[in-house]
Amino acid sequence: MPAPPILRVQPVTAELREAVLRLHARPEQDDFVSPPARTLPDAEQCPGSQPMAILLGDAVIGYYRIERSARSLAGRDADAEALGLRSFQLDAAWQGRGLGARALGVLLADLAQRHPQARRIVLTVNCSNAAALALYRRAGFADSGTRYHGGRSGPQHLLWRHLP
C-alpha cells in the first residue's frame, strides 16, 4: 500500500506559478480572500513578501504569503520579531477535509526553520468569517483585542501566535 501524500509548503517557483494562479476559493469566501491571480503578482514584486504554495504530494492545493514585517498587515507597529500571514487559502476542491488545520501546522513549522529570528506571527481575519476565525483559534492564534478597520469587506480581528 503506497504511503499517503505528504503535505508540505515551499516558495512559489516558476514551475508552481500557473497552478497557484488557478486556485480559487468558494464563492461565499470571495469577500474574505483575494484570489492568487490578484495577490501573487503583488507578492512577487514586494521585497518584503514571500509567496508560498501548499502542496499535497505534487498537487498545489493552496497558497499564502509571508510578510517580513507584520506592520504591513494592519498598519500598526508590531514587534520586530513578528512576521505577517496574508492570503492563506485552500482551493475550493480541497476544503472540508481537515487540510486547513494541517496546512497551518506545516506552515508554522516551516516558519520556525525558514525564519528562526521570528518569535510571533500576526494575521487579520474578517469579523464575519466565522470558519476562518475558528480555524485560526484551533491553531493556537489569540485575538489581540483590537480591530483593523481597513479591510475591504469590513472590520477584522487582529490575531497573533507564538512560533514554535
Side-chain angles (χ1 to χ4, degrees):
M1 180 174 207
I6 295 173
L7 187 66
R8 61 193 171 90
V9 298
Q10 74 173 62
V12 175
T13 61
E15 295 78 28
L16 298 176
R17 190 174 194 279
E18 289 305 314
V20 169
L21 290 172
R22 286 192 298 271
L23 297 170
H24 66 282
R26 293 179 176 165
E28 64 270 19
Q29 297 167 325
D30 287 344
D31 285 343
F32 304 131
V33 63
S34 296
R38 188 173 339 157
T39 62
L40 179 58
D42 179 61
E44 291 169 331
Q45 296 302 312
C46 180
S49 286
Q50 184 172 31
M52 300 290 292
I54 304 168
L55 297 102
L56 185 61
D58 292 329
V60 175
I61 66 165
Y63 162 79
Y64 62 95
R65 61 192 273 190
I66 295 299
E67 304 293 339
R68 287 191 204 113
S69 169
R71 181 171 173 57
S72 68
L73 265 64
R76 297 177 185 268
D77 287 328
D79 100 43
E81 297 174 340
L83 300 171
L85 173 62
R86 279 190 179 188
S87 303
F88 179 83
Q89 59 191 278
L90 292 183
D91 186 77
W94 292 95
Q95 293 180 21
R97 303 180 192 196
L99 293 169
R102 285 182 51 207
L104 277 173
V106 172
L107 176 161
L108 292 168
D110 180 71
L111 287 177
Q113 295 293 315
R114 200 177 295 277
H115 299 278
Q117 79 291 351
R119 299 289 174 247
R120 296 187 323 145
I121 186 162
V122 176
L123 62 86
T124 62
V125 61
N126 189 284
C127 292
S128 299
N129 192 347
L133 188 56
L135 172 67
Y136 292 128
R137 285 188 172 147
R138 282 193 311 272
F141 283 84
D143 195 323
S144 69
T146 60
R147 299 290 175 266
Y148 172 61
H149 294 281
R152 66 181 171 92
S153 297
Q156 299 185 24
H157 294 276
L158 184 63
L159 306 180
W160 68 275
R161 185 190 191 284
H162 288 290
L163 289 173

PDB file of all heavy atoms in Angstrom, residues 21-40:
ATOM      1  N   LEU A  21      -1.915  30.191  -9.617  1.00  0.00           N
ATOM      2  CA  LEU A  21      -2.839  31.158 -10.224  1.00  0.00           C
ATOM      3  C   LEU A  21      -4.217  30.554 -10.508  1.00  0.00           C
ATOM      4  O   LEU A  21      -5.215  31.276 -10.580  1.00  0.00           O
ATOM      5  CB  LEU A  21      -2.243  31.736 -11.512  1.00  0.00           C
ATOM      6  CG  LEU A  21      -1.054  32.668 -11.304  1.00  0.00           C
ATOM      7  CD1 LEU A  21      -0.425  33.034 -12.646  1.00  0.00           C
ATOM      8  CD2 LEU A  21      -1.462  33.912 -10.537  1.00  0.00           C
ATOM      9  N   ARG A  22      -4.301  29.242 -10.654  1.00  0.00           N
ATOM     10  CA  ARG A  22      -5.594  28.580 -10.920  1.00  0.00           C
ATOM     11  C   ARG A  22      -6.401  28.335  -9.645  1.00  0.00           C
ATOM     12  O   ARG A  22      -7.572  27.960  -9.718  1.00  0.00           O
ATOM     13  CB  ARG A  22      -5.369  27.254 -11.649  1.00  0.00           C
ATOM     14  CG  ARG A  22      -4.985  27.415 -13.099  1.00  0.00           C
ATOM     15  CD  ARG A  22      -5.049  26.101 -13.848  1.00  0.00           C
ATOM     16  NE  ARG A  22      -4.138  25.088 -13.340  1.00  0.00           N
ATOM     17  CZ  ARG A  22      -2.885  24.923 -13.740  1.00  0.00           C
ATOM     18  NH1 ARG A  22      -2.371  25.722 -14.658  1.00  0.00           N
ATOM     19  NH2 ARG A  22      -2.133  23.972 -13.215  1.00  0.00           N
ATOM     20  N   LEU A  23      -5.801  28.512  -8.476  1.00  0.00           N
ATOM     21  CA  LEU A  23      -6.516  28.286  -7.220  1.00  0.00           C
ATOM     22  C   LEU A  23      -7.674  29.270  -7.081  1.00  0.00           C
ATOM     23  O   LEU A  23      -7.575  30.427  -7.480  1.00  0.00           O
ATOM     24  CB  LEU A  23      -5.574  28.452  -6.031  1.00  0.00           C
ATOM     25  CG  LEU A  23      -4.410  27.473  -5.931  1.00  0.00           C
ATOM     26  CD1 LEU A  23      -3.446  27.933  -4.849  1.00  0.00           C
ATOM     27  CD2 LEU A  23      -4.892  26.058  -5.680  1.00  0.00           C
ATOM     28  N   HIS A  24      -8.757  28.792  -6.479  1.00  0.00           N
ATOM     29  CA  HIS A  24      -9.892  29.690  -6.212  1.00  0.00           C
ATOM     30  C   HIS A  24     -10.647  29.223  -4.975  1.00  0.00           C
ATOM     31  O   HIS A  24     -10.701  28.027  -4.676  1.00  0.00           O
ATOM     32  CB  HIS A  24     -10.821  29.775  -7.425  1.00  0.00           C
ATOM     33  CG  HIS A  24     -11.514  28.480  -7.742  1.00  0.00           C
ATOM     34  ND1 HIS A  24     -10.882  27.442  -8.386  1.00  0.00           N
ATOM     35  CD2 HIS A  24     -12.760  28.057  -7.471  1.00  0.00           C
ATOM     36  CE1 HIS A  24     -11.713  26.430  -8.519  1.00  0.00           C
ATOM     37  NE2 HIS A  24     -12.854  26.764  -7.965  1.00  0.00           N
ATOM     38  N   ALA A  25     -11.185  30.172  -4.266  1.00  0.00           N
ATOM     39  CA  ALA A  25     -11.968  29.891  -3.068  1.00  0.00           C
ATOM     40  C   ALA A  25     -13.413  29.607  -3.468  1.00  0.00           C
ATOM     41  O   ALA A  25     -13.800  29.780  -4.623  1.00  0.00           O
ATOM     42  CB  ALA A  25     -11.896  31.084  -2.115  1.00  0.00           C
ATOM     43  N   ARG A  26     -14.196  29.211  -2.499  1.00  0.00           N
ATOM     44  CA  ARG A  26     -15.631  29.050  -2.719  1.00  0.00           C
ATOM     45  C   ARG A  26     -16.246  30.437  -2.910  1.00  0.00           C
ATOM     46  O   ARG A  26     -15.769  31.420  -2.330  1.00  0.00           O
ATOM     47  CB  ARG A  26     -16.270  28.356  -1.529  1.00  0.00           C
ATOM     48  CG  ARG A  26     -15.817  26.932  -1.373  1.00  0.00           C
ATOM     49  CD  ARG A  26     -16.459  26.302  -0.164  1.00  0.00           C
ATOM     50  NE  ARG A  26     -16.077  24.901  -0.080  1.00  0.00           N
ATOM     51  CZ  ARG A  26     -16.243  24.165   0.994  1.00  0.00           C
ATOM     52  NH1 ARG A  26     -16.785  24.677   2.077  1.00  0.00           N
ATOM     53  NH2 ARG A  26     -15.871  22.910   0.995  1.00  0.00           N
ATOM     54  N   PRO A  27     -17.315  30.540  -3.697  1.00  0.00           N
ATOM     55  CA  PRO A  27     -17.922  31.863  -3.946  1.00  0.00           C
ATOM     56  C   PRO A  27     -18.264  32.632  -2.674  1.00  0.00           C
ATOM     57  O   PRO A  27     -18.085  33.845  -2.615  1.00  0.00           O
ATOM     58  CB  PRO A  27     -19.179  31.536  -4.763  1.00  0.00           C
ATOM     59  CG  PRO A  27     -18.853  30.238  -5.430  1.00  0.00           C
ATOM     60  CD  PRO A  27     -17.976  29.478  -4.462  1.00  0.00           C
ATOM     61  N   GLU A  28     -18.726  31.945  -1.632  1.00  0.00           N
ATOM     62  CA  GLU A  28     -19.086  32.639  -0.389  1.00  0.00           C
ATOM     63  C   GLU A  28     -17.878  33.175   0.360  1.00  0.00           C
ATOM     64  O   GLU A  28     -18.014  33.935   1.315  1.00  0.00           O
ATOM     65  CB  GLU A  28     -19.936  31.738   0.524  1.00  0.00           C
ATOM     66  CG  GLU A  28     -19.233  30.507   1.035  1.00  0.00           C
ATOM     67  CD  GLU A  28     -19.374  29.266   0.146  1.00  0.00           C
ATOM     68  OE1 GLU A  28     -19.706  29.385  -1.047  1.00  0.00           O
ATOM     69  OE2 GLU A  28     -19.122  28.163   0.663  1.00  0.00           O
ATOM     70  N   GLN A  29     -16.672  32.803  -0.077  1.00  0.00           N
ATOM     71  CA  GLN A  29     -15.446  33.293   0.554  1.00  0.00           C
ATOM     72  C   GLN A  29     -14.834  34.469  -0.196  1.00  0.00           C
ATOM     73  O   GLN A  29     -13.842  35.040   0.264  1.00  0.00           O
ATOM     74  CB  GLN A  29     -14.430  32.149   0.637  1.00  0.00           C
ATOM     75  CG  GLN A  29     -14.896  31.007   1.504  1.00  0.00           C
ATOM     76  CD  GLN A  29     -14.048  29.762   1.324  1.00  0.00           C
ATOM     77  OE1 GLN A  29     -13.578  29.462   0.232  1.00  0.00           O
ATOM     78  NE2 GLN A  29     -13.849  29.038   2.412  1.00  0.00           N
ATOM     79  N   ASP A  30     -15.398  34.827  -1.325  1.00  0.00           N
ATOM     80  CA  ASP A  30     -14.813  35.882  -2.160  1.00  0.00           C
ATOM     81  C   ASP A  30     -14.667  37.218  -1.441  1.00  0.00           C
ATOM     82  O   ASP A  30     -13.753  37.984  -1.734  1.00  0.00           O
ATOM     83  CB  ASP A  30     -15.622  36.073  -3.448  1.00  0.00           C
ATOM     84  CG  ASP A  30     -15.427  34.937  -4.440  1.00  0.00           C
ATOM     85  OD1 ASP A  30     -14.451  34.163  -4.293  1.00  0.00           O
ATOM     86  OD2 ASP A  30     -16.255  34.820  -5.359  1.00  0.00           O
ATOM     87  N   ASP A  31     -15.552  37.504  -0.487  1.00  0.00           N
ATOM     88  CA  ASP A  31     -15.442  38.763   0.254  1.00  0.00           C
ATOM     89  C   ASP A  31     -14.282  38.744   1.247  1.00  0.00           C
ATOM     90  O   ASP A  31     -13.867  39.790   1.729  1.00  0.00           O
ATOM     91  CB  ASP A  31     -16.730  39.061   1.023  1.00  0.00           C
ATOM     92  CG  ASP A  31     -17.849  39.531   0.123  1.00  0.00           C
ATOM     93  OD1 ASP A  31     -17.577  39.941  -1.025  1.00  0.00           O
ATOM     94  OD2 ASP A  31     -19.020  39.478   0.563  1.00  0.00           O
ATOM     95  N   PHE A  32     -13.775  37.561   1.562  1.00  0.00           N
ATOM     96  CA  PHE A  32     -12.771  37.433   2.604  1.00  0.00           C
ATOM     97  C   PHE A  32     -11.355  37.218   2.103  1.00  0.00           C
ATOM     98  O   PHE A  32     -10.397  37.512   2.810  1.00  0.00           O
ATOM     99  CB  PHE A  32     -13.137  36.283   3.540  1.00  0.00           C
ATOM    100  CG  PHE A  32     -14.502  36.405   4.150  1.00  0.00           C
ATOM    101  CD1 PHE A  32     -15.373  35.333   4.133  1.00  0.00           C
ATOM    102  CD2 PHE A  32     -14.938  37.591   4.729  1.00  0.00           C
ATOM    103  CE1 PHE A  32     -16.636  35.437   4.698  1.00  0.00           C
ATOM    104  CE2 PHE A  32     -16.196  37.701   5.290  1.00  0.00           C
ATOM    105  CZ  PHE A  32     -17.050  36.617   5.273  1.00  0.00           C
ATOM    106  N   VAL A  33     -11.200  36.660   0.926  1.00  0.00           N
ATOM    107  CA  VAL A  33      -9.862  36.339   0.435  1.00  0.00           C
ATOM    108  C   VAL A  33      -9.769  36.683  -1.053  1.00  0.00           C
ATOM    109  O   VAL A  33     -10.659  36.361  -1.830  1.00  0.00           O
ATOM    110  CB  VAL A  33      -9.501  34.855   0.698  1.00  0.00           C
ATOM    111  CG1 VAL A  33     -10.407  33.903  -0.034  1.00  0.00           C
ATOM    112  CG2 VAL A  33      -8.051  34.578   0.408  1.00  0.00           C
ATOM    113  N   SER A  34      -8.712  37.373  -1.405  1.00  0.00           N
ATOM    114  CA  SER A  34      -8.477  37.717  -2.806  1.00  0.00           C
ATOM    115  C   SER A  34      -7.834  36.530  -3.513  1.00  0.00           C
ATOM    116  O   SER A  34      -7.023  35.816  -2.917  1.00  0.00           O
ATOM    117  CB  SER A  34      -7.552  38.929  -2.919  1.00  0.00           C
ATOM    118  OG  SER A  34      -8.168  40.064  -2.354  1.00  0.00           O
ATOM    119  N   PRO A  35      -8.173  36.330  -4.765  1.00  0.00           N
ATOM    120  CA  PRO A  35      -7.590  35.195  -5.488  1.00  0.00           C
ATOM    121  C   PRO A  35      -6.091  35.405  -5.722  1.00  0.00           C
ATOM    122  O   PRO A  35      -5.613  36.535  -5.837  1.00  0.00           O
ATOM    123  CB  PRO A  35      -8.356  35.188  -6.813  1.00  0.00           C
ATOM    124  CG  PRO A  35      -8.845  36.579  -6.980  1.00  0.00           C
ATOM    125  CD  PRO A  35      -9.078  37.114  -5.590  1.00  0.00           C
ATOM    126  N   PRO A  36      -5.336  34.299  -5.801  1.00  0.00           N
ATOM    127  CA  PRO A  36      -3.906  34.419  -6.082  1.00  0.00           C
ATOM    128  C   PRO A  36      -3.619  35.191  -7.373  1.00  0.00           C
ATOM    129  O   PRO A  36      -2.576  35.833  -7.467  1.00  0.00           O
ATOM    130  CB  PRO A  36      -3.431  32.969  -6.184  1.00  0.00           C
ATOM    131  CG  PRO A  36      -4.380  32.215  -5.327  1.00  0.00           C
ATOM    132  CD  PRO A  36      -5.714  32.903  -5.522  1.00  0.00           C
ATOM    133  N   ALA A  37      -4.533  35.162  -8.325  1.00  0.00           N
ATOM    134  CA  ALA A  37      -4.319  35.924  -9.559  1.00  0.00           C
ATOM    135  C   ALA A  37      -4.140  37.411  -9.263  1.00  0.00           C
ATOM    136  O   ALA A  37      -3.459  38.122 -10.002  1.00  0.00           O
ATOM    137  CB  ALA A  37      -5.486  35.716 -10.530  1.00  0.00           C
ATOM    138  N   ARG A  38      -4.701  37.881  -8.152  1.00  0.00           N
ATOM    139  CA  ARG A  38      -4.538  39.285  -7.756  1.00  0.00           C
ATOM    140  C   ARG A  38      -3.376  39.470  -6.788  1.00  0.00           C
ATOM    141  O   ARG A  38      -2.644  40.451  -6.857  1.00  0.00           O
ATOM    142  CB  ARG A  38      -5.820  39.803  -7.128  1.00  0.00           C
ATOM    143  CG  ARG A  38      -5.744  41.293  -6.882  1.00  0.00           C
ATOM    144  CD  ARG A  38      -7.009  41.947  -6.415  1.00  0.00           C
ATOM    145  NE  ARG A  38      -8.214  41.202  -6.719  1.00  0.00           N
ATOM    146  CZ  ARG A  38      -9.346  41.336  -6.070  1.00  0.00           C
ATOM    147  NH1 ARG A  38      -9.453  42.189  -5.091  1.00  0.00           N
ATOM    148  NH2 ARG A  38     -10.403  40.627  -6.390  1.00  0.00           N
ATOM    149  N   THR A  39      -3.199  38.539  -5.855  1.00  0.00           N
ATOM    150  CA  THR A  39      -2.205  38.747  -4.793  1.00  0.00           C
ATOM    151  C   THR A  39      -0.813  38.227  -5.130  1.00  0.00           C
ATOM    152  O   THR A  39       0.163  38.766  -4.625  1.00  0.00           O
ATOM    153  CB  THR A  39      -2.677  38.108  -3.477  1.00  0.00           C
ATOM    154  OG1 THR A  39      -2.827  36.697  -3.662  1.00  0.00           O
ATOM    155  CG2 THR A  39      -3.994  38.717  -3.012  1.00  0.00           C
ATOM    156  N   LEU A  40      -0.722  37.192  -5.957  1.00  0.00           N
ATOM    157  CA  LEU A  40       0.601  36.640  -6.275  1.00  0.00           C
ATOM    158  C   LEU A  40       1.488  37.642  -7.011  1.00  0.00           C
ATOM    159  O   LEU A  40       2.642  37.832  -6.618  1.00  0.00           O
ATOM    160  CB  LEU A  40       0.477  35.332  -7.061  1.00  0.00           C
ATOM    161  CG  LEU A  40       1.795  34.679  -7.473  1.00  0.00           C
ATOM    162  CD1 LEU A  40       2.680  34.364  -6.280  1.00  0.00           C
ATOM    163  CD2 LEU A  40       1.515  33.420  -8.291  1.00  0.00           C
TER     164      LEU A  40
END
